[in-house]
Amino acid sequence: MTKAERRMLLHLLRLALKGPCRLRREGDGLVLEQSGRHLPVTEKVLAEAVSLGLVTRQAGSIIALPEAAAHLRRALQVDKEEGFAAQHRQIAEEQRVVDGATQPVRRNLVESPLSVLSRLKERSGAAFLPQTAIEAGERLAADFERGHLQPKVTASWEPRIASRTPGERGGLADLTDSAVAARLRVNAALDAMGPELSGVALDVCCFGKGLEQVERERCWPARSAKLMLRTALLALARHYAPPPANVRRRHAWGADGFRPEL
């Protein structure tokens, strides 16, 4: 059902819950009447309400069933929660290929700190973070997630008695090969950035901290974290896509007055 049809269904339930409604045909559509109120409805919405067991049609009347009140309360609560959450989202409609078919999807542009930072601009109008740097940060975050490196914030219901043998490294035997490979890629990426830069990349890309929080925790000057982050992500991008090695030219000995091209 579309949003307009869903709203029509909710209006139908509100009206039917006040008492039996008389159903009459007007032109190509239907109209519900109850205590002087009129509500145009479509055959599709009315059939949906009947199929869901919310109303019943009896001798030209629409009568609400007991399930209608609970359905209406749930629908109104969902709308309320979505309206509150929408205040903290920036939704964009995009097209993605899913199982070989193109489908419309909704993406929250402020879901991650990198999404917000990707819109920063230089004074010249150019992007503050190049696309290669954004992609490198997202790749690091994906490997961090695949490697199960996020700290646990909920209670663990796993039994305390484990099958781990004495001297075995904690938890590595329980990881899949893909998780172990992701951890190795994270370690290689951190080594490539170095200890001076890897910390800010981890804080922003993997732990989702904002730049102001990073500056506050590390006692850095204001607006310095974004410069450190850009340097870290550019180094990370070079790690993921190293530039081609320079091929040195070899020149043969020439005659008098020969000068090699540098």
Side-chain angles (χ1 to χ4, degrees), residues 245-256:
N246 293 328
V247 180
R248 300 184 61 181
R249 297 181 179 180
R250 294 184 178 180
H251 297 277
W253 290 102
D256 294 340

Side-chain angles (χ1 to χ4, degrees), residues 207-235:
F207 294 110
K209 296 181 180 180
L211 296 179
E212 294 182 357
Q213 181 181 357
V214 172
E215 292 168 354
R216 189 166 55 251
E217 292 178 352
R218 297 177 177 269
C219 299
W220 286 354
R223 295 179 295 277
S224 62
K226 68 176 185 179
L227 298 176
M228 297 293 290
L229 178 65
R230 181 172 65 173
T231 305
L233 293 183
L234 289 176

Side-chain angles (χ1 to χ4, degrees), residues 73-136:
R73 285 196 300 269
R74 288 195 300 269
L76 294 177
Q77 182 64 27
V78 169
D79 290 343
K80 180 180 178 181
E81 293 176 353
E82 288 185 352
F84 176 79
Q87 302 176 18
H88 309 280
R89 296 174 180 171
Q90 186 175 348
I91 303 299
E93 301 286 344
E94 298 180 352
Q95 299 289 331
R96 288 289 184 270
V97 178
V98 180
D99 296 332
T102 303
Q103 299 181 6
V105 297
R106 301 173 65 195
R107 185 168 68 93
N108 185 11
L109 297 180
V110 294
E111 182 178 4
S112 67
L114 283 179
S115 299
V116 179
L117 296 176
S118 64
R119 297 194 295 274
L120 292 178
K121 301 293 183 182
E122 296 274 15
R123 292 183 178 179
S124 60
F128 179 76
L129 290 176
Q131 185 61 30
T132 55
I134 296 294
E135 294 174 354

